PDB file of all heavy atoms in Angstrom:
ATOM      1  N   HIS A  10       4.646  -2.249  -7.768  1.00 97.00           N
ATOM      2  CA  HIS A  10       5.850  -2.463  -6.786  1.00 97.00           C
ATOM      3  C   HIS A  10       6.834  -3.333  -7.469  1.00 97.00           C
ATOM      4  O   HIS A  10       7.848  -3.800  -6.682  1.00 97.00           O
ATOM      5  CB  HIS A  10       5.194  -3.011  -5.499  1.00 97.00           C
ATOM      6  CG  HIS A  10       4.513  -2.035  -4.631  1.00 97.00           C
ATOM      7  ND1 HIS A  10       3.109  -1.964  -4.733  1.00 97.00           N
ATOM      8  CD2 HIS A  10       4.879  -0.904  -3.985  1.00 97.00           C
ATOM      9  CE1 HIS A  10       2.665  -1.019  -4.048  1.00 97.00           C
ATOM     10  NE2 HIS A  10       3.636  -0.348  -3.503  1.00 97.00           N
ATOM     11  N   PHE A  11       6.595  -3.744  -8.746  1.00 97.00           N
ATOM     12  CA  PHE A  11       7.718  -4.486  -9.385  1.00 97.00           C
ATOM     13  C   PHE A  11       8.922  -3.678  -9.567  1.00 97.00           C
ATOM     14  O   PHE A  11       8.956  -2.458  -9.940  1.00 97.00           O
ATOM     15  CB  PHE A  11       7.188  -4.840 -10.801  1.00 97.00           C
ATOM     16  CG  PHE A  11       8.289  -5.694 -11.519  1.00 97.00           C
ATOM     17  CD1 PHE A  11       8.332  -7.187 -11.359  1.00 97.00           C
ATOM     18  CD2 PHE A  11       9.008  -5.059 -12.606  1.00 97.00           C
ATOM     19  CE1 PHE A  11       9.263  -7.770 -12.202  1.00 97.00           C
ATOM     20  CE2 PHE A  11       9.863  -5.816 -13.363  1.00 97.00           C
ATOM     21  CZ  PHE A  11      10.034  -7.195 -13.070  1.00 97.00           C
ATOM     22  N   GLY A  12       9.989  -4.295  -9.026  1.00 95.00           N
ATOM     23  CA  GLY A  12      11.342  -3.579  -9.061  1.00 95.00           C
ATOM     24  C   GLY A  12      11.603  -2.628  -7.867  1.00 95.00           C
ATOM     25  O   GLY A  12      12.649  -2.102  -7.955  1.00 95.00           O
ATOM     26  N   THR A  13      10.760  -2.736  -6.900  1.00 96.00           N
ATOM     27  CA  THR A  13      10.978  -1.756  -5.805  1.00 96.00           C
ATOM     28  C   THR A  13      11.297  -2.666  -4.620  1.00 96.00           C
ATOM     29  O   THR A  13      11.273  -3.829  -4.697  1.00 96.00           O
ATOM     30  CB  THR A  13       9.679  -0.911  -5.496  1.00 96.00           C
ATOM     31  OG1 THR A  13       8.616  -1.865  -4.871  1.00 96.00           O
ATOM     32  CG2 THR A  13       9.014  -0.278  -6.775  1.00 96.00           C
ATOM     33  N   ARG A  14      11.559  -1.894  -3.484  1.00 97.00           N
ATOM     34  CA  ARG A  14      11.920  -2.777  -2.337  1.00 97.00           C
ATOM     35  C   ARG A  14      10.634  -3.628  -1.653  1.00 97.00           C
ATOM     36  O   ARG A  14      10.861  -4.379  -0.853  1.00 97.00           O
ATOM     37  CB  ARG A  14      12.437  -1.812  -1.230  1.00 97.00           C
ATOM     38  CG  ARG A  14      11.564  -0.718  -0.707  1.00 97.00           C
ATOM     39  CD  ARG A  14      12.314   0.296   0.114  1.00 97.00           C
ATOM     40  NE  ARG A  14      11.505   1.303   0.658  1.00 97.00           N
ATOM     41  CZ  ARG A  14      10.889   1.288   1.800  1.00 97.00           C
ATOM     42  NH1 ARG A  14      11.087   0.459   2.712  1.00 97.00           N
ATOM     43  NH2 ARG A  14      10.196   2.345   2.194  1.00 97.00           N
ATOM     44  N   PHE A  15       9.493  -3.271  -2.267  1.00 98.00           N
ATOM     45  CA  PHE A  15       8.237  -3.991  -1.674  1.00 98.00           C
ATOM     46  C   PHE A  15       7.871  -4.935  -2.790  1.00 98.00           C
ATOM     47  O   PHE A  15       6.816  -5.744  -2.489  1.00 98.00           O
ATOM     48  CB  PHE A  15       7.165  -2.922  -1.633  1.00 98.00           C
ATOM     49  CG  PHE A  15       7.410  -1.772  -0.658  1.00 98.00           C
ATOM     50  CD1 PHE A  15       7.455  -0.563  -1.242  1.00 98.00           C
ATOM     51  CD2 PHE A  15       7.482  -2.067   0.638  1.00 98.00           C
ATOM     52  CE1 PHE A  15       7.595   0.485  -0.307  1.00 98.00           C
ATOM     53  CE2 PHE A  15       7.721  -0.962   1.470  1.00 98.00           C
ATOM     54  CZ  PHE A  15       7.768   0.393   0.967  1.00 98.00           C
ATOM     55  N   GLU A  16       8.671  -5.384  -3.727  1.00 97.00           N
ATOM     56  CA  GLU A  16       8.389  -6.370  -4.583  1.00 97.00           C
ATOM     57  C   GLU A  16       8.000  -7.781  -3.956  1.00 97.00           C
ATOM     58  O   GLU A  16       7.154  -8.510  -4.372  1.00 97.00           O
ATOM     59  CB  GLU A  16       9.375  -6.506  -5.817  1.00 97.00           C
ATOM     60  CG  GLU A  16       8.992  -7.550  -6.759  1.00 97.00           C
ATOM     61  CD  GLU A  16      10.106  -7.763  -7.860  1.00 97.00           C
ATOM     62  OE1 GLU A  16      10.902  -6.876  -7.965  1.00 97.00           O
ATOM     63  OE2 GLU A  16       9.904  -8.788  -8.661  1.00 97.00           O
ATOM     64  N   ASP A  17       8.946  -8.149  -2.966  1.00 97.00           N
ATOM     65  CA  ASP A  17       8.685  -9.472  -2.367  1.00 97.00           C
ATOM     66  C   ASP A  17       7.261  -9.567  -1.750  1.00 97.00           C
ATOM     67  O   ASP A  17       6.681 -10.671  -2.092  1.00 97.00           O
ATOM     68  CB  ASP A  17       9.810  -9.641  -1.285  1.00 97.00           C
ATOM     69  CG  ASP A  17      11.193  -9.742  -1.777  1.00 97.00           C
ATOM     70  OD1 ASP A  17      11.289  -9.595  -3.031  1.00 97.00           O
ATOM     71  OD2 ASP A  17      12.136  -9.885  -1.001  1.00 97.00           O
ATOM     72  N   THR A  18       6.909  -8.544  -1.039  1.00 97.00           N
ATOM     73  CA  THR A  18       5.585  -8.696  -0.537  1.00 97.00           C
ATOM     74  C   THR A  18       4.348  -8.563  -1.515  1.00 97.00           C
ATOM     75  O   THR A  18       3.505  -9.405  -1.430  1.00 97.00           O
ATOM     76  CB  THR A  18       5.222  -7.460   0.385  1.00 97.00           C
ATOM     77  OG1 THR A  18       6.279  -7.441   1.534  1.00 97.00           O
ATOM     78  CG2 THR A  18       3.979  -7.419   1.203  1.00 97.00           C
ATOM     79  N   ALA A  19       4.661  -7.774  -2.582  1.00 98.00           N
ATOM     80  CA  ALA A  19       3.700  -7.797  -3.559  1.00 98.00           C
ATOM     81  C   ALA A  19       3.609  -8.949  -4.428  1.00 98.00           C
ATOM     82  O   ALA A  19       2.586  -9.418  -4.869  1.00 98.00           O
ATOM     83  CB  ALA A  19       4.119  -6.631  -4.571  1.00 98.00           C
ATOM     84  N   SER A  20       4.676  -9.746  -4.587  1.00 98.00           N
ATOM     85  CA  SER A  20       4.723 -11.077  -5.133  1.00 98.00           C
ATOM     86  C   SER A  20       3.896 -12.062  -4.465  1.00 98.00           C
ATOM     87  O   SER A  20       3.150 -12.721  -5.004  1.00 98.00           O
ATOM     88  CB  SER A  20       6.137 -11.554  -5.481  1.00 98.00           C
ATOM     89  OG  SER A  20       6.835 -10.561  -6.338  1.00 98.00           O
ATOM     90  N   VAL A  21       4.079 -12.103  -3.268  1.00 98.00           N
ATOM     91  CA  VAL A  21       3.340 -13.072  -2.340  1.00 98.00           C
ATOM     92  C   VAL A  21       1.785 -12.788  -2.409  1.00 98.00           C
ATOM     93  O   VAL A  21       0.975 -13.607  -2.474  1.00 98.00           O
ATOM     94  CB  VAL A  21       3.907 -13.130  -0.922  1.00 98.00           C
ATOM     95  CG1 VAL A  21       2.923 -14.003  -0.069  1.00 98.00           C
ATOM     96  CG2 VAL A  21       5.269 -13.570  -0.886  1.00 98.00           C
ATOM     97  N   THR A  22       1.577 -11.376  -2.333  1.00 98.00           N
ATOM     98  CA  THR A  22       0.187 -10.896  -2.478  1.00 98.00           C
ATOM     99  C   THR A  22      -0.605 -11.375  -3.821  1.00 98.00           C
ATOM    100  O   THR A  22      -1.611 -11.968  -3.735  1.00 98.00           O
ATOM    101  CB  THR A  22      -0.017  -9.436  -2.322  1.00 98.00           C
ATOM    102  OG1 THR A  22       0.640  -8.918  -1.174  1.00 98.00           O
ATOM    103  CG2 THR A  22      -1.326  -8.939  -2.480  1.00 98.00           C
ATOM    104  N   LEU A  23       0.292 -11.272  -4.857  1.00 98.00           N
ATOM    105  CA  LEU A  23      -0.334 -11.651  -6.105  1.00 98.00           C
ATOM    106  C   LEU A  23      -0.511 -13.282  -6.236  1.00 98.00           C
ATOM    107  O   LEU A  23      -1.540 -13.644  -6.598  1.00 98.00           O
ATOM    108  CB  LEU A  23       0.574 -11.199  -7.265  1.00 98.00           C
ATOM    109  CG  LEU A  23       0.286 -11.916  -8.613  1.00 98.00           C
ATOM    110  CD1 LEU A  23      -1.051 -11.422  -9.173  1.00 98.00           C
ATOM    111  CD2 LEU A  23       1.331 -11.295  -9.654  1.00 98.00           C
ATOM    112  N   VAL A  24       0.574 -13.879  -5.724  1.00 98.00           N
ATOM    113  CA  VAL A  24       0.412 -15.369  -5.773  1.00 98.00           C
ATOM    114  C   VAL A  24      -0.673 -16.038  -5.070  1.00 98.00           C
ATOM    115  O   VAL A  24      -1.469 -16.850  -5.383  1.00 98.00           O
ATOM    116  CB  VAL A  24       1.797 -16.065  -5.538  1.00 98.00           C
ATOM    117  CG1 VAL A  24       1.708 -17.427  -5.488  1.00 98.00           C
ATOM    118  CG2 VAL A  24       2.803 -15.629  -6.570  1.00 98.00           C
ATOM    119  N   ALA A  25      -0.807 -15.364  -3.781  1.00 98.00           N
ATOM    120  CA  ALA A  25      -1.780 -15.746  -2.797  1.00 98.00           C
ATOM    121  C   ALA A  25      -3.203 -15.538  -3.493  1.00 98.00           C
ATOM    122  O   ALA A  25      -4.195 -16.296  -3.273  1.00 98.00           O
ATOM    123  CB  ALA A  25      -1.635 -15.185  -1.607  1.00 98.00           C
ATOM    124  N   GLY A  26      -3.248 -14.317  -4.014  1.00 97.00           N
ATOM    125  CA  GLY A  26      -4.588 -13.949  -4.618  1.00 97.00           C
ATOM    126  C   GLY A  26      -5.044 -14.851  -5.735  1.00 97.00           C
ATOM    127  O   GLY A  26      -6.276 -15.211  -5.845  1.00 97.00           O
ATOM    128  N   LEU A  27      -4.210 -15.246  -6.621  1.00 98.00           N
ATOM    129  CA  LEU A  27      -4.430 -16.200  -7.588  1.00 98.00           C
ATOM    130  C   LEU A  27      -4.774 -17.504  -7.188  1.00 98.00           C
ATOM    131  O   LEU A  27      -5.614 -18.201  -7.721  1.00 98.00           O
ATOM    132  CB  LEU A  27      -3.176 -16.173  -8.679  1.00 98.00           C
ATOM    133  CG  LEU A  27      -2.885 -14.876  -9.488  1.00 98.00           C
ATOM    134  CD1 LEU A  27      -1.797 -15.125 -10.412  1.00 98.00           C
ATOM    135  CD2 LEU A  27      -4.191 -14.488 -10.273  1.00 98.00           C
ATOM    136  N   ALA A  28      -3.966 -17.947  -6.138  1.00 98.00           N
ATOM    137  CA  ALA A  28      -4.333 -19.262  -5.599  1.00 98.00           C
ATOM    138  C   ALA A  28      -5.784 -19.209  -4.980  1.00 98.00           C
ATOM    139  O   ALA A  28      -6.472 -20.227  -5.045  1.00 98.00           O
ATOM    140  CB  ALA A  28      -3.302 -19.634  -4.518  1.00 98.00           C
ATOM    141  N   LEU A  29      -6.098 -18.207  -4.308  1.00 97.00           N
ATOM    142  CA  LEU A  29      -7.438 -18.165  -3.639  1.00 97.00           C
ATOM    143  C   LEU A  29      -8.606 -18.150  -4.764  1.00 97.00           C
ATOM    144  O   LEU A  29      -9.522 -18.906  -4.536  1.00 97.00           O
ATOM    145  CB  LEU A  29      -7.549 -16.916  -2.901  1.00 97.00           C
ATOM    146  CG  LEU A  29      -8.930 -16.622  -2.156  1.00 97.00           C
ATOM    147  CD1 LEU A  29      -9.172 -17.654  -1.189  1.00 97.00           C
ATOM    148  CD2 LEU A  29      -8.980 -15.224  -1.462  1.00 97.00           C
ATOM    149  N   THR A  30      -8.340 -17.536  -5.842  1.00 97.00           N
ATOM    150  CA  THR A  30      -9.310 -17.482  -7.000  1.00 97.00           C
ATOM    151  C   THR A  30      -9.432 -18.963  -7.415  1.00 97.00           C
ATOM    152  O   THR A  30     -10.563 -19.428  -7.731  1.00 97.00           O
ATOM    153  CB  THR A  30      -8.896 -16.572  -8.093  1.00 97.00           C
ATOM    154  OG1 THR A  30      -8.762 -15.303  -7.601  1.00 97.00           O
ATOM    155  CG2 THR A  30      -9.966 -16.548  -9.189  1.00 97.00           C
ATOM    156  N   ALA A  31      -8.219 -19.745  -7.595  1.00 97.00           N
ATOM    157  CA  ALA A  31      -8.327 -21.050  -8.124  1.00 97.00           C
ATOM    158  C   ALA A  31      -9.143 -22.041  -7.120  1.00 97.00           C
ATOM    159  O   ALA A  31      -9.763 -22.768  -7.353  1.00 97.00           O
ATOM    160  CB  ALA A  31      -6.864 -21.586  -8.234  1.00 97.00           C
ATOM    161  N   CYS A  32      -9.046 -21.742  -5.763  1.00 97.00           N
ATOM    162  CA  CYS A  32      -9.607 -22.496  -4.824  1.00 97.00           C
ATOM    163  C   CYS A  32     -11.095 -22.296  -4.768  1.00 97.00           C
ATOM    164  O   CYS A  32     -11.936 -23.213  -4.634  1.00 97.00           O
ATOM    165  CB  CYS A  32      -9.076 -22.180  -3.401  1.00 97.00           C
ATOM    166  SG  CYS A  32      -7.452 -22.779  -3.046  1.00 97.00           S
ATOM    167  N   THR A  33     -11.636 -21.092  -5.106  1.00 97.00           N
ATOM    168  CA  THR A  33     -13.027 -20.849  -5.159  1.00 97.00           C
ATOM    169  C   THR A  33     -13.550 -21.556  -6.495  1.00 97.00           C
ATOM    170  O   THR A  33     -14.701 -22.021  -6.394  1.00 97.00           O
ATOM    171  CB  THR A  33     -13.349 -19.436  -5.315  1.00 97.00           C
ATOM    172  OG1 THR A  33     -12.758 -18.776  -6.528  1.00 97.00           O
ATOM    173  CG2 THR A  33     -12.908 -18.669  -4.057  1.00 97.00           C
ATOM    174  N   TRP A  34     -12.778 -21.517  -7.581  1.00 97.00           N
ATOM    175  CA  TRP A  34     -13.166 -22.341  -8.748  1.00 97.00           C
ATOM    176  C   TRP A  34     -13.301 -23.814  -8.393  1.00 97.00           C
ATOM    177  O   TRP A  34     -14.220 -24.583  -8.813  1.00 97.00           O
ATOM    178  CB  TRP A  34     -12.250 -22.177  -9.839  1.00 97.00           C
ATOM    179  CG  TRP A  34     -12.464 -22.986 -11.103  1.00 97.00           C
ATOM    180  CD1 TRP A  34     -12.035 -24.413 -11.248  1.00 97.00           C
ATOM    181  CD2 TRP A  34     -13.417 -22.706 -12.080  1.00 97.00           C
ATOM    182  NE1 TRP A  34     -12.465 -24.755 -12.459  1.00 97.00           N
ATOM    183  CE2 TRP A  34     -13.352 -23.916 -13.027  1.00 97.00           C
ATOM    184  CE3 TRP A  34     -14.260 -21.764 -12.465  1.00 97.00           C
ATOM    185  CZ2 TRP A  34     -14.128 -23.851 -14.148  1.00 97.00           C
ATOM    186  CZ3 TRP A  34     -14.965 -21.652 -13.595  1.00 97.00           C
ATOM    187  CH2 TRP A  34     -14.954 -22.805 -14.358  1.00 97.00           C
ATOM    188  N   MET A  35     -12.334 -24.300  -7.609  1.00 97.00           N
ATOM    189  CA  MET A  35     -12.391 -25.706  -7.352  1.00 97.00           C
ATOM    190  C   MET A  35     -13.488 -26.194  -6.394  1.00 97.00           C
ATOM    191  O   MET A  35     -14.033 -27.216  -6.329  1.00 97.00           O
ATOM    192  CB  MET A  35     -11.012 -26.162  -6.697  1.00 97.00           C
ATOM    193  CG  MET A  35      -9.968 -26.269  -7.658  1.00 97.00           C
ATOM    194  SD  MET A  35     -10.202 -27.458  -9.096  1.00 97.00           S
ATOM    195  CE  MET A  35     -10.482 -28.968  -8.255  1.00 97.00           C
ATOM    196  N   SER A  36     -13.889 -25.111  -5.477  1.00 96.00           N
ATOM    197  CA  SER A  36     -14.971 -25.350  -4.556  1.00 96.00           C
ATOM    198  C   SER A  36     -16.270 -25.595  -5.469  1.00 96.00           C
ATOM    199  O   SER A  36     -17.042 -26.501  -5.085  1.00 96.00           O
ATOM    200  CB  SER A  36     -15.239 -24.244  -3.663  1.00 96.00           C
ATOM    201  OG  SER A  36     -15.755 -23.060  -4.271  1.00 96.00           O
TER     202      SER A  36
END
């Protein structure tokens, strides 16, 4: 969805997913 009208939502999805993975590592 890069470059489409859904890019904003897709970007938050990606960043949130990576943050969640980092949180499981920290746990």
Side-chain angles (χ1 to χ4, degrees):
H10 292 93
F11 179 78
T13 73
R14 62 191 179 94
F15 300 114
E16 182 181 345
D17 292 2
T18 301
S20 297
V21 175
T22 301
L23 171 57
V24 172
L27 294 180
L29 179 61
T30 303
C32 287
T33 62
W34 173 268
M35 287 306 298
S36 70

